[in-house]
Amino acid sequence: MTIKENFELAKQAYSKWGIDVEDVLQKLKSVPISIHCWQGDDVAGFEVNPSELSGGIDVTGNYPGKATTPEQLRSDLEKALSLIPGKHRVNLHAIYAETNGEVVERDQLEPKHFENWVAWAKEQGLGLDYNPTLFSHPKASDGLTLSHPDEEIREFWINHCIGSRKIGEYFGKELGTPALTNIWIPDGYKDIPSDRLTPRQRLKDSLDKIFAVPVDESYNLDAVESKVFGIGSESYVVGSHEFYLGYALKNDKICLLDTGHYHPTETVSNKISSMLLYSDKVALHVSRPVRWDSDHVVILDDELKEIALEVVRNDALNRVIIGLDFFDASINRVAAWTIGTRNMVKALLYAMLVPNEKLKQLQEEGNFTERLALMEEFKTYPFGAIWDYYCEQMGVPVKEAWLEEVKAYEKEVLSKR
């Protein structure tokens, strides 16, 4: 049978439950995923005087062909985007500025240092998101930045974040879609602290100064991101979930949830509905933690499906900003982007093809037998046939055919680096 014939049969199966598959595919086309640029070069960036990766982050593996120039990174991103259905976004860190060989400190970065990225994004029809980089720097060598007891160091990072919001605003103005500018810091202590409050007071004060500088919210959205621990901050993290949740709610900022930044038994999917009750928007960095914040490539596992279900069933596709954050240097990096992003899109499609209203009704009626039975049966409904058709219609490879294109790209491009 052809892809179209399989699709028509699958469509009939879903239509019995009142699911309009054609409408679902139209909706899916409109959902952008923010794809992180740093998978392509192992979070190295392009600073003239780069520092070793720090901040409790680690990249393992040495697969050949990583990008070492902005042109290579953009080329690799183009290849991955050509294999992923839909129109998406690219997420940048400050260390991906292009300064033409000039040493420019992070607190001096300006929109002009990202002009090439913006020109490329316009050509590709992409939006851009942004992150100040508060790690891999001499002024972050002791693991403290915005909460540092040294006022001069704090001011350096405050100015970096202020400039970053201006860069995000520039992205939004130039590209016609607001940038999400997200602040994450590595601050914390390896061993048990004797004072948890004072560093948090300093962090709050730093954030207040950063956000006191006005930017146009129609072009830039501000987010703050927590973490439970990192390498070197096992006992205490200044910017905990409770800290940032409180700060975001009080100051009308977006709280960003990274799926790897919680205790192993916590799930972000279980937090989304609560957040939506009190926040206009929620942001996600979708990763795959294996025993810790290991940033493995996203797979189509139960938690990814559950995250997508929470977004879809709560009619929050326009309120939850979905980005990815993983980095694996042990496999082909273009393949990593492709696998992870296709899986995120697959999860959203899966969630849209579930009779969510019927299942809600069964729960309200206390009919837990039928609820469980249907939730399980829909796991083996012909979702794959719908996915294959969607990929074909969007002009990207169907099933594993994309892998041959990555192999060819590796042979022709990556292997020659």
Side-chain angles (χ1 to χ4, degrees), residues 83-381:
L83 307 174
I84 299 162
K87 267 294 176 188
H88 301 292
R89 307 175 64 84
V90 168
N91 196 6
L92 301 176
H93 250 281
I95 54 174
Y96 293 90
E98 295 174 65
T99 62
N100 296 316
E102 179 187 353
V103 176
V104 178
E105 267 295 359
R106 292 186 198 169
D107 64 340
Q108 300 299 313
L109 289 173
E110 300 176 53
K112 68 180 181 181
H113 299 121
F114 292 88
E115 287 176 349
N116 291 341
W117 281 106
V118 167
W120 174 77
K122 286 179 179 178
E123 289 171 7
Q124 302 296 317
L126 303 167
L128 291 176
D129 296 309
Y130 193 66
N131 308 262
T133 307
L134 291 96
F135 53 86
S136 302
H137 190 280
K139 284 188 167 64
S141 61
D142 60 359
L144 298 172
T145 60
L146 292 177
S147 71
H148 205 288
D150 185 323
E151 185 177 358
E152 190 175 311
I153 291 177
R154 278 203 314 280
E155 284 301 314
F156 174 86
W157 292 115
I158 287 167
N159 290 332
H160 175 46
C161 291
I162 289 170
S164 295
R165 296 174 68 230
K166 293 293 185 182
I167 291 166
E169 182 183 46
Y170 161 69
F171 288 171
K173 281 181 182 176
E174 290 292 319
L175 300 172
T177 174
L180 182 75
T181 299
N182 175 57
I183 296 175
W184 174 79
I185 64 172
D187 297 38
Y189 294 120
K190 180 180 180 66
D191 218 330
I192 299 166
S194 54
D195 180 4
R196 290 179 172 88
L197 180 61
T198 302
R200 286 178 173 148
Q201 288 174 325
R202 285 196 292 260
L203 175 56
K204 178 183 179 299
D205 179 67
S206 294
L207 292 171
D208 289 345
K209 289 177 179 174
I210 291 163
F211 295 128
V213 179
V215 299
D216 192 328
E217 292 183 4
S218 62
Y219 299 125
N220 180 78
L221 304 173
D222 292 312
V224 288
E225 176 185 1
S226 69
K227 191 168 184 173
V228 70
F229 87 98
I231 299 171
S233 61
E234 292 86 355
S235 296
Y236 170 73
V237 167
V238 183
S240 65
H241 175 67
E242 294 79 7
F243 175 91
Y244 279 127
L245 179 60
Y247 191 91
L249 290 173
K250 185 173 181 179
N251 295 281
D252 196 25
K253 302 300 177 187
I254 297 170
C255 191
L256 186 145
L257 312 178
D258 184 301
T259 57
H261 286 191
Y262 297 90
H263 291 284
T265 55
E266 279 186 283
T267 57
V268 163
S269 61
N270 203 34
K271 302 178 186 297
I272 293 171
S273 58
S274 296
M275 304 283 286
L276 289 170
L277 287 173
Y278 302 103
S279 303
D280 180 51
K281 291 187 182 296
V282 176
L284 302 178
H285 274 182
V286 181
S287 184
R288 178 166 59 103
V290 177
R291 295 187 174 87
W292 76 292
D293 183 28
S294 59
D295 288 300
H296 278 61
V297 176
V298 169
I299 61 173
L300 191 61
D301 58 11
D302 287 347
E303 173 61 0
L304 189 69
K305 289 179 183 176
E306 204 62 31
I307 287 170
L309 281 163
E310 283 297 302
V311 174
V312 170
R313 65 166 61 120
N314 294 312
D315 193 25
L317 285 167
N318 63 339
R319 296 177 61 195
V320 178
I321 301 166
I322 303 172
L324 304 177
D325 188 0
F326 52 80
F327 30 92
D328 189 342
S330 71
I331 64 173
N332 181 296
R333 295 168 184 82
V334 174
W337 273 319
T338 306
I339 293 166
T341 314
R342 281 174 69 111
N343 279 334
M344 187 68 248
V345 180
K346 278 182 196 173
L348 290 168
L349 175 60
Y350 175 86
M352 293 178 185
L353 292 172
V354 169
N356 291 301
E357 292 307 313
K358 174 66 175 177
L359 292 170
K360 286 182 184 180
Q361 179 190 340
L362 292 172
Q363 180 170 302
E364 289 297 295
E365 293 170 354
N367 190 342
F368 305 133
T369 303
E370 190 172 346
R371 180 189 66 177
L372 179 60
L374 286 180
M375 287 171 74
E376 289 303 301
E377 289 302 327
F378 264 82
K379 289 179 179 178
T380 53
Y381 258 58

